[in-house]
Amino acid sequence: MKFTSDQILDMVPFARTLGIEFAAISDATVEARMRNRPELSTMGGGLHGGAVMGIADVVGAATTALALDEGDLWTTIESTTYFLNPGKGECVVARGSATKTGNSLAFVQIDLYSDREVHLARTSQVVAIQRRH
């Protein structure tokens, strides 16, 4: 399926709440940014892990959707996030790609970086697909 950033934001209102902005959407990858603002911080001023997982999940869903046909349904059945560094900096950049898409499952990886290209986290997702046919 093809989507614009505005369509994704309309389908996932939580993305607007987090302040996610889509920088690039291609046939194979999605890149989004989220400002590190005080209401998304944890003790010590770093980006809260829930905010990191939130942008990862939105990017993972959009990445999965790119590989599907109109009318297909999907849901994340497993999501694992490895936190590698504290979320410091002005924003977080999330880059998602599908590592494999089959008939009933998709595997998606999302890497998250600071605006200084420090690798903050990696999320791996398994997505169940229900094909329309």
Side-chain angles (χ1 to χ4, degrees), residues 37-109:
R37 43 192 215 277
E39 59 270 26
L40 297 179
S41 67
T42 191
M43 291 185 276
L47 190 62
H48 190 282
V52 171
M53 293 168 69
I55 188 173
D57 194 55
V58 170
V59 169
T63 301
T64 300
L66 293 173
L68 303 180
D69 295 324
E70 189 71 36
D72 289 348
L73 302 174
W74 70 100
T75 187
T76 304
I77 57 174
E78 182 178 322
S79 184
T80 303
T81 300
Y82 297 96
F83 296 95
L84 307 172
N85 285 291
K88 299 287 188 176
E90 288 190 31
C91 70
V92 61
V93 178
R95 297 179 184 124
S97 61
T99 56
K100 179 168 177 40
T101 303
N103 235 4
S104 60
L105 293 175
F107 298 86
V108 179
Q109 181 171 294

Side-chain angles (χ1 to χ4, degrees), residues 52-53 56 81-85 92-93 110-114 118-123:
V52 171
M53 293 168 69
T81 300
Y82 297 96
F83 296 95
L84 307 172
N85 285 291
V92 61
V93 178
I110 305 97
D111 284 294
L112 300 105
Y113 298 89
S114 74
V118 174
H119 199 184
L120 303 177
R122 171 172 284 168
T123 298

